[in-house]
Amino acid sequence: AHNPANCYDPELIINLPKGVRLTKDGSVIIKDKTQIIVDIPQKDKFWFTKERYTIHIFIDDIFLTGELEGYSPYNFLFDPVNLNKGKHLITVNYSGFNDHIAIASIPVFIEKKGERIAKAK
């Protein structure tokens, strides 16, 4: 039976390492491999984990990685080595087995080693 109290889409939280730099428009500057942690708020964690879900991570709408059986928090190492310098979008989808969906995105600016952008704050 579908529990009406849990009939909404939970939010996701994308956590980045402390001290990340931001561009003037708020994009996260990434130069090297970066640990990213995706989590479900505590208020939604029990019921959404009980429902079960899959995880899909995309960069600029292209599938990057995922898990058939999700868990939270979910840690992944984002490696920008094959991306062009500039703005990109990381999107994380958690798709529940009972049709609930949680989505979060974060804009990133890929800065290649040895380069710096003028407008970092």
Side-chain angles (χ1 to χ4, degrees):
H2 195 77
N3 183 347
N6 296 331
C7 198
Y8 66 93
D9 293 329
E11 63 182 290
L12 288 181
I13 303 163
I14 298 176
N15 294 304
L16 295 155
K18 293 189 186 305
V20 295
R21 297 179 306 134
L22 302 175
T23 63
K24 195 170 190 171
D25 68 359
S27 295
V28 176
I29 298 171
I30 295 179
K31 181 168 39 173
D32 297 309
K33 292 178 183 178
T34 302
Q35 188 72 35
I36 297 177
I37 300 170
V38 183
D39 207 355
I40 301 169
Q42 198 60 44
K43 68 181 179 62
D44 298 330
K45 197 173 278 195
F46 177 76
W47 75 264
F48 195 60
T49 301
K50 189 175 176 184
E51 172 175 308
R52 296 175 40 215
Y53 54 92
T54 62
I55 298 172
H56 298 99
I57 299 173
F58 302 85
I59 183 77
D60 300 332
D61 297 323
I62 298 170
F63 179 74
L64 182 65
T65 190
E67 297 285 339
L68 293 176
E69 183 76 29
Y71 50 91
S72 183
Y74 178 72
N75 298 283
F76 72 100
L77 189 61
F78 177 68
D79 188 353
V81 69
N82 294 320
L83 294 173
N84 294 328
K85 177 181 175 182
K87 287 182 123 180
H88 297 275
L89 186 67
I90 297 173
T91 302
V92 181
N93 293 347
Y94 281 21
S95 300
F97 290 10
N98 289 326
D99 298 325
H100 296 107
I101 298 172
I103 300 172
S105 293
I106 187 164
V108 296
F109 185 95
I110 303 305
E111 180 181 274
K112 296 298 183 178
K113 290 182 182 180
E115 297 177 330
R116 291 187 95 61
I117 56 172
K119 296 185 179 182
K121 62 175 183 176

